[in-house]
């Protein structure tokens, strides 16, 4: 970094320290995952301490690694195995750059929240655009969670009661209905949601255990009977854009960027770059392990939810299905709170008779779950029921991951940070400082527009689950069940 950059960094660090002394958000220094990012810890703020570089890296890894990695083998199928692995490296590198760019924007604007940065760059229009995308991302994630829970738990139930295999549609719907009524709604209406943060590590632990199970099944050769197809080891496919959407969804963590940054001890841009490189690098390693192990096992038959590929009487993977469902259910109320707080904020602004002060540093994704009233309860129920009603219209996870990645994750992760930096930075657009940001915007815009044009017309197709894979037909489940087996899953056709 040149001398001018050092001077600018010193000034921005000084202004940042002044802001931290006057900000209530400086107390947010616990585990900064998707759950804890919604709440401020008001119980013992005096006991909180800033995190070291390794601690901040772990917190960020916990924020990045989540349910999205389960779709990486499917993304490799859509893009082609060789090209998909190369693009996975590119997406990780671009994500790394965009995360660093967001903190630079925070220093340039003096506002260390995503809404604050967008307001500083583009006024209220930037804030409302961000709010729309911040609502879309968790809401589509809630739909994907319903799809996952319905798919995974229904297989476990059929393993226990094989005769139910003849009516997988009603079983799947019943699972989602029961889970929504008796688990999801109570958790989403739970007033002290901050207590769920204590279980945040469980989500990461579940993903790691599932990864070991996937690798073990590959090494043991239990699925060596999976047939090859002409497309099994093809280097590249034409469906590259949807694959990028799935990968972007897996790396999406930008809503926690400033929370982790403000938790760091002696926070500087240089230390933040190290944290980002370590965190994204580890997340990429987990994603590539999932991708390679899953794809090498099922190749062109890989589905959007990798666990769908395993036979229904595979007890190890049934255990993995249960763990994955637990992880999903712990995350569901957090996504619901994000959506609810955004809706409540916009309604309050719309109906307020007074001039509402524009709170540039309040991030709806960092809202507390402690405030409950009749309106918030009604809003929560509407959002949860809307996700429940929409989820049966797609039986496969792949299209939902692609849609969320293309329409929400990519704009949030790439387009908006790049636009904010272009607007806030004093350098020329053609300078070496801004050109990478402009490239980030162009990349994100191209992928979003072209991907949406390809995906939306084919979003509701013949994709369906509840199919006994052809290589499982000789298993006990296929013998006892009445559903016909099939050699290729409907979810893995090139056209979803």
């Amino acid at each position: 970094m040149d001398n001018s950059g050092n001077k600018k960094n010193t000034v921005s660090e000084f202004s940042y320290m002044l802001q931290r002394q006057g900000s209530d958000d400086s107390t947010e220094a616990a585990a900064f995952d998707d759950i804890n990012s919604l709440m401020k810890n008001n119980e013992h703020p005096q006991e909180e301490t800033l995190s070291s570089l390794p601690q901040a890296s772990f917190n960020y890894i916990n924020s990045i690694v989540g349910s999205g990695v389960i779709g990486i083998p499917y993304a490799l199928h859509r893009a082609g195995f060789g090209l998909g692995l190369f693009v996975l490296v590119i997406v990780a590198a671009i994500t790394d750059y965009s995360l660093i760019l967001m903190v630079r924007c925070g220093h340039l604007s003096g506002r260390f929240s995503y809404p604050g940065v967008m307001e500083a760059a583009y006024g209220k229009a930037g804030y409302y655009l961000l709010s729309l995308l911040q609502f879309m991302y968790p809401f589509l994630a809630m739909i994907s969670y319903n799809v996952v829970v319905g798919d995974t738990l229904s297989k476990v139930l059929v393993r226990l009661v094989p005769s139910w295999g003849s009516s997988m549609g009603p079983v799947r719907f019943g699972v989602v209905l029961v889970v929504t009524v008796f688990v999801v709604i109570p958790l989403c209406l739970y007033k002290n949601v901050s207590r769920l943060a204590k279980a945040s590590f469980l989500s990461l632990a579940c993903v790691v255990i599932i990864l070991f199970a996937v690798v073990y099944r590959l090494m043991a050769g239990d699925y060596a009977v999976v047939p090859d197809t002409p497309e099994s080891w093809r280097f590249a496919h034409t469906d590259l854009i949807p694959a990028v959407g799935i990968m972007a969804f897996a790396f999406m963590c930008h809503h926690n960027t400033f929370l982790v940054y403000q938790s760091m001890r002696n926070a500087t841009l240089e230390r933040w770059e190290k944290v980002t490189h370590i965190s994204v690098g580890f997340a990429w390693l987990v994603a590539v392990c999932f991708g390679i192990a899953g794809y090498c096992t099922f190749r062109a038959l890989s589905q959007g939810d990798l666990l769908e590929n395993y036979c229904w009487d595979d007890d190890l993977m049934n255990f993995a299905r249960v763990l994955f469902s637990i992880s999903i259910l712990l995350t569901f109320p957090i996504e619901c709170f994000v959506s609810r707080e955004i809706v409540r904020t916009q309604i309050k602004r719309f109906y307020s008779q007074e001039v509402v002060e524009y709170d540039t540093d309040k991030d709806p994704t960092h809202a507390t779950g402690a405030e409950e009233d009749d309106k918030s309860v009604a809003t929560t129920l509407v959002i949860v029921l809307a996700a429940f009603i929409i989820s049966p219209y797609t039986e496969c996870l792949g299209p939902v991951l692609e849609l969320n990645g293309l329409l929400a994750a990519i704009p949030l992760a790439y387009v908006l940070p790049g636009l904010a930096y272009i607007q806030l930075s004093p350098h020329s657009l053609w300078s070496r400082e801004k050109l990478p940001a402009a490239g980030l915007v162009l990349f994100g815009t191209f992928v979003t527009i072209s991907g949406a044009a390809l995906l939306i017309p084919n979003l509701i197709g013949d994709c369906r689950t509840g199919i006994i894979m052809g290589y499982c037909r000789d298993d006990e489940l296929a013998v006892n069940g009445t559903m016909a087996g099939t050699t290729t899953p409907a979810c893995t056709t090139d056209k979803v």
Side-chain angles (χ1 to χ4, degrees), residues 22-37:
S23 172
D24 291 335
D25 289 340
S26 63
T27 64
E28 297 174 346
F32 298 98
D33 51 290
D34 286 341
I35 292 180
N36 210 34
S37 67

Side-chain angles (χ1 to χ4, degrees), residues 241 402-403 406-407 446-458:
I241 299 300
E402 293 170 3
L403 186 66
L406 291 171
L407 299 185
F446 172 77
V447 172
T448 297
I449 295 176
S450 59
L454 292 172
L455 178 64
I456 292 179
N458 302 306

Side-chain angles (χ1 to χ4, degrees), residues 96-114:
D96 182 275
Y97 171 70
S98 67
L99 292 170
I100 295 173
L101 202 65
M102 287 186 66
V103 173
R104 290 180 183 173
C105 291
H107 281 281
L108 289 171
S109 63
R111 297 171 180 173
F112 289 84
S113 72
Y114 206 164

Side-chain angles (χ1 to χ4, degrees), residues 65 88 92 211 251 279-292:
V65 177
L88 189 62
L211 174 59
F251 282 97
S279 304
V280 175
F282 183 85
W284 173 84
L285 182 62
V286 173
V288 78
C289 288
F290 258 107
I292 292 177

Side-chain angles (χ1 to χ4, degrees), residues 198-209:
K198 298 178 181 178
S200 61
F201 179 75
L202 180 61
S203 177
L204 177 61
C206 289
V207 172
V208 173
I209 294 174

Side-chain angles (χ1 to χ4, degrees), residues 413-487:
Y414 306 144
V415 179
L416 295 188
L419 288 175
Y421 185 77
I422 291 174
Q423 182 70 14
L424 294 171
S425 176
H427 298 286
S428 169
L429 178 61
W430 306 109
S431 63
R432 64 179 183 178
E433 289 81 8
K434 278 191 176 181
L435 276 180
L440 188 69
V441 173
L442 291 176
F443 169 79
T445 303
F446 172 77
V447 172
T448 297
I449 295 176
S450 59
L454 292 172
L455 178 64
I456 292 179
N458 302 306
L459 187 60
I460 302 178
D462 59 354
C463 179
R464 55 196 178 95
T465 57
I467 301 297
I468 298 178
M469 307 299 288
Y471 48 81
C472 297
R473 293 179 65 185
D474 294 332
D475 289 345
E476 179 183 351
L477 178 63
V479 172
N480 294 336
T482 58
M483 179 178 292
T486 178
T487 56

